[in-house]
């Protein structure tokens, strides 16, 4: 569920979830769970808003601190709330 939340958040903001994940975990092979989650995402106009702070909390809860750091940096650079 956490991966789907991340993927949909990226879709909603016109961001590439695979590129963002690769930035957080550059030495990791392709993440099959992320690829699978991308198949379950919906177009941004069909999606509910996903609060960025909620995403950060969920990522931290599951120990994805590196990904949370990259997401946080993106939020600052793109002024995402």
């Amino acid at each position: 569920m956490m991966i789907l939340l991340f993927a949909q958040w990226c879709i909603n903001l016109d961001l590439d979830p695979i590129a963002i994940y690769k930035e957080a975990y550059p030495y990791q092979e392709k993440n099959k769970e992320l690829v699978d989650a991308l198949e379950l995402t919906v177009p941004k106009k069909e999606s509910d808003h996903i609060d960025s702070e909620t995403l950060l909390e969920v990522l931290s809860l599951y120990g994805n601190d590196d990904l949370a750091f990259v997401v946080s940096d993106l939020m600052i650079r793109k002024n995402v709330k």
Side-chain angles (χ1 to χ4, degrees):
M1 193 58 150
M2 180 258 327
I3 296 169
L4 180 57
L5 183 72
F6 164 71
Q8 189 64 58
W9 178 85
C10 290
I11 298 299
N12 291 356
L13 295 172
D14 298 318
L15 300 171
D16 180 356
I18 293 176
I20 294 168
Y21 189 87
K22 187 75 172 168
E23 185 178 339
Y25 303 105
Y27 301 109
Q28 204 176 79
E29 293 295 318
K30 191 174 191 179
N31 186 312
K32 180 180 174 356
E33 289 82 8
L34 178 56
V35 172
D36 292 345
L38 284 171
E39 294 177 12
L40 300 173
T41 60
V42 296
K44 70 179 181 178
K45 62 184 171 187
E46 295 177 23
S47 174
D48 290 331
H49 172 73
I50 299 172
D51 183 71
S52 299
E53 292 298 325
T54 300
L55 176 63
L56 287 175
E57 288 176 21
V58 171
L59 291 174
S60 293
L61 180 69
Y62 283 91
N64 282 314
D65 297 326
D66 292 339
L67 187 54
F69 178 80
V70 171
V71 166
S72 179
D73 185 53
L74 276 169
M75 289 170 53
I76 292 167
R77 285 187 289 162
K78 296 191 176 280
N79 198 25
V80 174
K81 298 193 178 180

